[in-house]
Amino acid sequence: MKIAEFKLERLFAKYEFSTKYLLSSSDCDGFSMKEVLDIATEDELKLWENLKLGYTESQGHPLLLEAISQNYPGLTTENIIIASPGELNFSVMNSIMNAGDHVIAVSPAYQSLHEVVRSIGCELSLWHPDQESWEFKIEELQWLIKSNTKLIIINFPHNPTGTYLKESEFQKIVEIARANNCYIYSDEMYHKLVHDMPIVKPIASMYEKGISLWGTSKSFGMSGVRIGWIACQDKELIGKIGLFKDYLSICSSAPSEILTLIALNHQEYFIQHNLDKIRSNLKALEAFVEKHDQILSYTPPKAGTTCLLKLNIDISSEEFMEKLIAEHGIMTVPAEYFDIEGKYIRIGLGRKNIPEVLEIFDVFLESFYKS
Ligand SMILES: Cc1ncc(COP(=O)(O)O)c(C=O)c1O
């Protein structure tokens, strides 16, 4: 198997821990161990303290499977499997797809949503949003369907645009998939981080061939825990994903499973904390863009942790990124890393210090006006 370099992850590997400020991260600040354990019940603390650091169950800790299944109306523990999100994406695609199958995927997208199916030899068609509103039109998805389409890959809340859909739009995607006997792989890593719209239930609860991915990294502010899960109605598929996963991590980290259990059992606390921070950062961003409206514009995100900032400047967004790192130690992700045409940078709204970073960014932009 050959697979293309993961450009975005290479960029983060280079700058995430060597640059002073991060303006484009898609995760929320990591909670401390103390905060997580402080909120745990006595029973949860007992599980934590008495935990044996041996191998864990291949499908996942039974209590964790139970807690996860509560989030998927109509599903039980047999409909869930636990691993890291990247492994799950890999295992799902390799379990259901073959060379020559046709796939439709949202674009821009987190790169693995395209590259893994490409590496299998699938034919990929990209479903693009309108470049002003970042809205994905359902009729355009319909036009992309072919006789050999086997899978539709979606990601709402959407990274990087912050787009979200109404329930009726999710239902239309399901209708298209059902009429063409396609799977829907719904990357729901930002599930429940919705700003001012109703939260739609996971695709796994909506559609018999719907596959939902969620995990701790974004909604819960625990990216270091490295736990994700797949939920789907098809128990046989859960088994197939497990067979593939045997060649990857075998089973999940024992401490991480218990931390995830605590996160899920107290999810209102974690998710609300992150939403409050994102909303407050959005206000700061709005004022910032208003101040710099000669060179910046954006479409406010509806959900998730990210949005795109359009740059009305003379240099490319990649050059802009390099200059901003060199002069002020602020890392951004330019449009090129999402194969977006035009000059944009991604803004990450899940970090507490965003107002402080915007103040330094402000100085950088002032110098831009003069040049
Ligand atoms: C849409 C999307 N899916 C999956 C992932 C991977 O999640 P994790 O970092 O937990 O592996 C990311 C991370 O940025 C993402 O944005």
Side-chain angles (χ1 to χ4, degrees):
M1 189 206 77
K2 292 269 185 287
I3 192 159
E5 189 177 292
F6 203 138
K7 291 185 290 186
L8 183 71
E9 294 303 343
R10 282 297 96 211
L11 186 72
F12 271 95
K14 186 168 174 193
Y15 292 121
E16 185 172 8
F17 295 96
S18 61
T19 311
K20 191 162 180 200
Y21 302 106
L22 302 172
L23 188 55
S24 289
S25 296
S26 61
D27 59 345
C28 297
D29 294 299
F31 278 91
S32 70
M33 284 288 290
K34 184 175 177 334
E35 277 173 290
V36 177
L37 294 178
D38 275 355
I39 204 170
T41 62
E42 249 174 61
D43 284 349
E44 288 160 356
L45 280 178
K46 263 189 213 148
L47 270 175
W48 176 251
E49 281 158 12
N50 298 324
L51 183 69
K52 297 271 190 302
L53 297 174
Y55 284 117
T56 62
E57 293 199 34
S58 164
Q59 195 182 334
H61 193 300
L63 286 177
L64 181 54
L65 291 172
E66 182 61 44
I68 293 171
S69 70
Q70 305 288 318
N71 292 271
Y72 299 87
L75 271 58
T76 70
T77 55
E78 291 172 53
N79 301 101
I80 314 289
I81 187 162
I82 297 166
S84 77
E87 281 176 308
L88 289 166
N89 179 31
F90 223 86
S91 306
V92 169
M93 297 310 166
N94 279 284
S95 301
I96 63 174
M97 301 306 289
N98 293 302
D101 289 336
H102 179 238
V103 184
I104 301 169
V106 288
S107 175
Y110 187 62
Q111 197 183 337
S112 57
L113 296 180
H114 295 169
E115 276 345 312
V116 176
V117 285
R118 274 198 187 115
S119 77
I120 295 169
C122 298
E123 182 198 349
L124 182 61
S125 297
L126 302 177
W127 180 23
H128 294 287
D130 172 272
Q131 214 164 329
E132 275 301 315
S133 66
W134 300 118
E135 278 171 20
F136 287 83
K137 303 259 160 47
I138 307 291
E139 60 269 26
E140 293 187 16
L141 169 65
Q142 176 72 64
W143 297 334
L144 293 171
I145 292 279
K146 296 185 181 186
S147 60
N148 63 336
T149 308
K150 193 170 175 187
L151 171 68
I152 297 168
I153 299 176
I154 57 175
N155 163 228
F156 301 110
H158 183 243
N159 171 18
T161 65
T163 296
Y164 195 54
L165 303 184
K166 294 192 268 256
E167 174 151 16
S168 58
E169 294 171 300
F170 277 103
Q171 290 293 1
K172 281 185 191 147
I173 298 175
V174 168
E175 278 167 31
I176 293 172
R178 191 175 279 136
N180 294 280
N181 193 28
C182 298
Y183 287 102
I184 299 177
Y185 182 79
S186 180
D187 178 325
E188 295 161 4
M189 287 302 290
Y190 301 83
H191 186 44
K192 300 197 181 181
L193 290 181
V194 181
H195 310 325
D196 293 304
M197 282 171 77
I199 297 171
V200 180
K201 66 180 173 216
I203 213 80
S205 292
M206 235 188 238
Y207 177 41
E208 59 282 5
K209 291 187 82 173
I211 303 165
S212 291
L213 170 75
W214 195 18
T216 57
S217 294
K218 319 294 179 178
S219 312
F220 297 90
M222 298 187 190
S223 50
V225 164
R226 309 305 310 131
I227 293 270
W229 52 88
I230 286 289
C232 68
Q233 295 179 25
D234 183 349
K235 293 177 191 165
E236 222 175 284
L237 177 56
I238 293 291
K240 283 189 193 159
I241 297 167
L243 295 182
F244 200 87
K245 195 174 82 78
D246 286 342
Y247 285 98
L248 301 170
S249 64
I250 310 173
C251 61
S252 297
S253 141
S256 289
E257 285 195 319
I258 304 304
L259 295 172
T260 306
L261 179 67
I262 299 170
L264 275 162
N265 287 346
H266 303 271
Q267 59 179 278
E268 291 72 24
Y269 172 82
F270 294 102
I271 295 176
Q272 194 55 49
H273 178 93
N274 289 332
L275 266 176
D276 290 347
K277 191 166 40 181
I278 293 167
R279 289 199 180 110
S280 142
N281 282 337
L282 258 174
K283 279 201 189 120
L285 181 67
E286 191 184 343
F288 187 81
V289 175
E290 219 172 273
K291 177 174 177 197
H292 292 286
D293 63 358
Q294 284 175 48
I295 52 173
L296 300 180
S297 62
Y298 81 127
T299 302
K302 295 189 174 90
T305 58
T306 59
C307 63
L308 291 170
L309 202 55
K310 188 171 184 182
L311 308 171
N312 179 16
I313 52 167
D314 288 335
I315 58 174
S316 74
S317 35
E318 181 127 31
E319 285 171 271
F320 186 85
M321 170 197 74
E322 296 288 359
K323 208 166 141 56
L324 186 51
I325 289 175
E327 292 178 18
H328 294 279
I330 300 178
M331 182 196 174
T332 57
V333 175
E336 287 86 340
Y337 286 76
F338 281 94
D339 293 331
I340 302 170
E341 280 180 26
K343 295 170 184 177
Y344 297 88
I345 53 168
R346 181 175 78 175
I347 299 293
L349 299 155
R351 301 294 183 103
K352 192 168 167 239
N353 69 346
I354 290 300
E356 182 197 342
V357 181
L358 286 178
E359 272 179 33
I360 303 162
F361 190 33
D362 185 79
V363 176
F364 177 69
L365 288 183
E366 290 300 342
S367 70
F368 240 83
Y369 285 106
K370 289 174 206 142
S371 61

